Amino acid sequence: MEHVTIDGINLSLANPVELSLKWVGQGELLKQLLAAWMVIDERDIPFNPRLIGKPGVGKTTLAYAAAHSLNRPVYLFQATMDTRPEDLIVTPVIGPDGKIQYAASSLVSAMVAGGILILDEGNRMSEKAWASLAPLLDDRRYVESIITGLRIPAHRDFRIVVTMNEDASTFEVPEYIHSRLQPQIYIDFPEADEEMMILKENLPFAAASILRYVVDFLQRAHAADELYSVRDGINIARYALKMMAATEKEPKALLPLAVERILGEEALRYL
């Protein structure tokens, strides 16, 4: 674990993440995100983009793929309804010697290391948590730790992207934060050929006929404005393949069972 000392306070930094995620299709969205992070003049500052879409459309995958393409360390912070300001910045912990130590969050670790922070499902956080990030998201680019009394500036290479789900189980993001999280990049369900590419990427060992069956199911569900995502399709195909190996039955008989087990009986109407 790496350590850094800021104004006499020693912080232990979180480690970056290595994920086996690859963005497939919709290359224009990747370009839009990378453009938001660009700095075109020494007086310029990067944007703090947010990726918005239904659960399972690949927001985190897109964010990671863009960050990874820049060869920067990538950090991930999973926001929840219980996220506190200190969770986002610095948390006191008991060290092996029984003394208080200070652990930097993945966000602060990315700020110090000049990495890229993916703040996942940001609109699950309360306004109090968001308020602690306000100075980071404008041209001040710092956070303040109440626990340590530190003001921590962001490295010039630091970038952040926030993913947000379009569902009801979220807080309203304060307007002063909305204005700081720009641009807004919307991710919709992929077209049929893109869904097939994504399924092939994630399930290269699956027969094309099985993947086509799943894509047709997903496209009918999208047309009916259902929330079933390509992530659900991957799970359906994967479960059907496992059942094939376990029972030696034909996939045609097992795919409807997989749909029911993954999404429920009401999903069968789209087969």
Side-chain angles (χ1 to χ4, degrees):
M1 182 178 293
E2 187 178 352
H3 291 76
V4 65
T5 300
I6 302 176
D7 291 341
I9 302 294
N10 185 266
L11 301 177
S12 58
L13 301 182
N15 293 320
V17 297
E18 289 286 343
L19 305 175
S20 57
L21 299 177
K22 183 178 179 182
W23 181 250
V24 178
Q26 301 188 71
E28 183 61 28
L29 294 177
L30 189 65
K31 292 178 183 177
Q32 290 176 21
L33 178 52
L34 291 171
W37 284 336
M38 287 179 65
V39 173
I40 57 175
D41 187 272
E42 62 181 22
R43 296 161 295 182
D44 189 23
I45 59 173
F47 279 109
N48 310 306
R50 53 178 152 164
L51 306 180
I52 303 173
K54 297 179 175 64
V57 295
K59 298 182 294 297
T60 305
T61 300
L62 172 60
Y64 182 81
H68 191 66
S69 73
L70 296 177
N71 294 316
R72 305 262 189 85
V74 184
Y75 298 78
L76 180 67
F77 188 98
Q78 180 64 53
T80 70
M81 296 173 64
D82 300 321
T83 297
R84 304 166 301 171
E86 56 265 37
D87 297 329
L88 287 164
I89 303 175
V90 174
T91 305
V93 296
I94 303 297
D97 56 0
K99 295 182 180 180
I100 295 292
Q101 297 182 354
Y102 296 107
S105 69
S106 53
L107 181 146
V108 168
S109 299
M111 289 174 59
V112 171
I116 297 175
L117 187 279
I118 301 170
L119 181 56
D120 213 16
E121 300 188 4
N123 53 340
R124 298 200 183 282
M125 295 197 310
S126 67
E127 181 174 356
K128 188 175 183 180
W130 276 116
S132 66
L133 299 185
L136 174 65
L137 301 175
D138 59 27
D139 55 5
R140 290 173 288 178
R141 284 174 60 86
Y142 67 75
V143 294
E144 292 184 306
S145 167
I146 295 175
I147 290 173
T148 63
L150 287 177
R151 175 176 292 178
I152 305 170
H155 190 287
R156 181 170 175 79
D157 292 336
F158 169 72
R159 302 291 186 270
I160 186 173
V161 57
V162 181
T163 73
M164 294 187 175
N165 282 336
E166 289 183 318
D167 59 30
S169 59
T170 57
F171 289 104
E172 282 292 325
V173 177
E175 186 56 40
Y176 67 91
I177 295 296
H178 266 295
S179 64
R180 288 167 163 85
L181 296 179
Q182 300 293 348
Q184 303 173 59
I185 301 174
Y186 289 88
I187 305 178
D188 205 351
F189 290 122
E191 298 295 330
D193 57 341
E194 291 174 333
E195 270 184 334
M196 178 61 98
M197 289 169 59
I198 295 168
L199 287 170
K200 284 181 177 178
E201 177 67 28
N202 286 272
L203 301 167
F205 46 84
S209 58
I210 295 175
L211 301 184
R212 175 54 58 191
Y213 183 100
V214 173
V215 168
D216 290 344
F217 161 78
L218 289 173
Q219 289 295 311
R220 285 190 287 269
H222 299 336
D225 206 28
E226 292 284 1
L227 296 180
Y228 308 149
S229 67
V230 69
R231 180 194 299 162
D232 296 318
I234 292 168
N235 288 335
I236 289 166
R238 182 178 286 124
Y239 187 61
L241 291 166
K242 292 177 185 295
M243 288 293 292
M244 285 171 57
T247 64
E248 298 184 356
K249 291 183 179 180
E250 290 297 314
K252 289 286 187 181
L254 294 172
L255 280 162
L257 175 65
V259 169
E260 183 180 0
R261 292 292 184 266
I262 298 298
L263 295 174
E265 187 176 354
E266 63 274 10
L268 295 174
R269 73 185 75 174
Y270 301 110
L271 293 178

